[in-house]
Amino acid sequence: MILSVTAADALRHRMLDPENLSSLYFAEADTTDSTFIGPIQVERKDGNYRRLVVTKDVKPGELLFVTPPVANANVEAVYEEWKTCNDIALVAERVLVRSIVEQANENGLRNSISVLEAGHNADSLPTIDRLLGKDTSPSTTKLDEETILQIIRRNAFGSDVSTFPYIQLRWQSDSSYRPARVLGLYTLAAMINHSCMPNAVRVFSNNLMIVHACQTIQSGQEIVASYIPVIQDYETRQQLQSLHGFVCKCSRCCFEAGNGSYLLKLDADQLDLPIRNKQLSNEEKRYIYMSNFQTYLNAINSGKLSDDTILEYCTQLHVALAVCHNASTEHLSVRTYYKPPTI
């Protein structure tokens, strides 16, 4: 699958809905039921946790899979209930739970969700068809609303570019606005484990999830993605323990928790430290730029830096993002958030 963006596509995207990337990826096509499975398979690591791996060498930008959700929260239903609740996250969960309950007799959905209920302790590995909701063999899985809710909270995927707070603000001022999606359950994508230094990223075209490699992935290597924005600092990223029940031990977290702890939060007058410190590796410097991303942006937009310093910081942030999360939404953020002075 080759995705190309013309100048006309970009203009249409800006005119229709700049928060919805769908018009950039598929300008005309209806992609609601599109599915593509690349060189991937589910395996068990050391007889313990499940993981998704590639079955051949994969280059950056190569498509890994495309899938619609097995269950989805209807946007209109979320909006109507939000008007009396004003908590979009809570409402989206309720609507998705009801959607799953209403389809409880569908074996494909029940078999798919049962994989998430069993977690890493499942006796057998799920097939790709089961993860996609296509295994319609008789199911004995019993799903109550509380179990479904807990599955959603640990595995569902919310809005991407248009965050919940943003959608809520738009609805407060524009009752006609409808985001492309709000919350959905993508069981295949839920097999991907977390890393703050991911080798894969996801984007959405309406309800369709598109996952591609952002780094070279060797055959047999695990596919990892970030469950949270990579530009969050170390302290914020530790929320993973309360949200998902694990402590991240990727190379970035280990560096920041140990020798790099003094670099976790730079002051405005310390921003040139990664450039001056010759003892830091390029990789360690990228960790520092990621964890202090907002501080750098604030300095860039402060009007107090020279043009040369702004260019240096923007270049370093760009390179760090490209290496850490190539081709992701956040990779656009240096240009998105940098506001050059009006002449």
Side-chain angles (χ1 to χ4, degrees):
M1 183 180 292
I2 299 175
L3 308 179
S4 60
V5 181
T6 66
D9 292 333
L11 178 61
R12 184 187 304 109
H13 162 71
R14 292 187 63 184
M15 293 175 61
L16 293 177
D17 185 357
E19 289 80 34
N20 178 10
L21 296 182
S22 305
S23 58
L24 285 180
Y25 288 99
F26 301 97
E28 304 294 341
D30 178 7
T31 60
T32 305
D33 297 318
S34 300
T35 300
F36 168 82
I37 303 299
I40 61 173
Q41 70 179 21
V42 183
E43 70 170 29
R44 198 178 298 280
K45 172 69 172 178
D46 300 328
N48 191 4
Y49 71 93
R50 294 178 310 206
R51 63 180 193 169
L52 201 62
V53 301
V54 295
T55 56
K56 72 177 187 67
D57 292 348
V58 171
K59 297 179 180 179
E62 188 168 342
L63 200 59
L64 298 175
F65 64 85
V66 178
T67 175
V70 296
N72 186 54
N74 180 271
V75 175
E76 192 63 34
V78 172
Y79 173 72
E80 290 300 323
E81 191 167 329
W82 169 84
K83 289 191 295 185
T84 61
C85 177
N86 271 337
D87 186 337
I88 187 172
L90 179 63
V91 170
E93 288 178 350
R94 289 176 181 171
V95 172
L96 184 52
V97 168
R98 288 202 300 268
S99 174
I100 293 173
V101 169
E102 290 167 1
Q103 304 174 67
N105 292 327
E106 296 184 9
N107 285 326
L109 177 61
R110 290 164 66 91
N111 284 327
S112 183
I113 294 179
S114 69
V115 174
L116 301 177
E117 181 187 23
H120 290 287
N121 297 320
D123 293 333
S124 59
L125 291 174
T127 64
I128 297 296
D129 277 350
R130 191 179 188 92
L131 294 170
L132 295 175
K134 296 180 178 181
D135 178 0
T136 58
S137 59
S139 173
T140 58
T141 301
K142 296 181 180 180
L143 297 172
D144 58 81
E145 291 191 9
E146 181 59 30
T147 299
I148 295 173
L149 178 60
Q150 295 308 315
I151 289 174
I152 288 172
R153 287 181 172 172
R154 288 186 177 262
N155 298 280
F157 291 85
S159 52
D160 185 28
V161 179
S162 300
T163 62
F164 282 160
Y166 175 84
I167 295 172
Q168 195 156 283
L169 284 173
R170 283 291 301 269
W171 279 348
Q172 290 170 354
S173 60
D174 183 3
S175 61
S176 65
Y177 171 70
R178 296 294 182 273
R181 58 182 303 278
V182 177
L183 187 67
L185 200 58
Y186 299 78
T187 317
L188 175 58
M191 295 296 102
I192 299 178
N193 293 312
H194 166 82
S195 172
C196 299
M197 292 295 290
N199 57 23
V201 292
R202 64 179 180 272
V203 293
F204 289 94
S205 175
N206 294 320
N207 282 320
L208 201 67
M209 181 187 289
I210 304 165
V211 178
H212 62 270
C214 62
Q215 304 294 337
T216 298
I217 311 176
Q218 303 295 328
S219 179
Q221 184 179 349
E222 181 178 7
I223 301 168
V224 289
S226 182
Y227 291 1
I228 52 180
V230 295
I231 58 175
Q232 290 183 343
D233 59 35
Y234 175 77
E235 183 179 333
T236 305
R237 299 200 317 274
Q238 298 316 294
Q239 296 174 358
L240 284 166
Q241 185 170 7
S242 59
L243 293 174
H244 296 280
F246 66 86
V247 176
C248 182
K249 296 182 179 179
C250 71
S251 58
R252 179 181 172 191
C253 283
C254 289
F255 167 74
E256 293 178 339
N259 296 329
S261 58
Y262 71 101
L263 300 170
L264 293 183
K265 289 189 177 181
L266 297 179
D267 294 329
D269 60 352
Q270 296 178 301
L271 297 184
D272 62 343
L273 190 150
I275 300 173
R276 290 187 289 105
N277 192 326
K278 304 302 182 182
Q279 296 182 336
L280 294 170
S281 69
N282 288 334
E283 185 177 34
E284 291 169 342
K285 290 178 180 180
R286 290 193 288 268
Y287 298 159
I288 297 169
Y289 286 121
M290 290 296 92
S291 290
N292 293 278
F293 194 90
Q294 190 59 54
T295 303
Y296 279 99
L297 288 181
N298 291 341
I300 288 169
N301 290 313
S302 67
K304 299 178 180 180
L305 303 180
S306 67
D307 289 345
D308 288 343
T309 301
I310 289 176
L311 178 60
E312 177 67 29
Y313 288 168
C314 283
T315 300
Q316 296 300 330
L317 292 177
H318 173 83
V319 171
L321 282 167
V323 173
C324 182
H325 216 192
N326 186 30
S328 71
T329 302
E330 286 142 338
H331 194 184
L332 307 175
S333 60
V334 173
R335 297 192 63 181
T336 301
Y337 294 129
Y338 170 48
K339 305 173 181 61
T342 302
I343 299 177

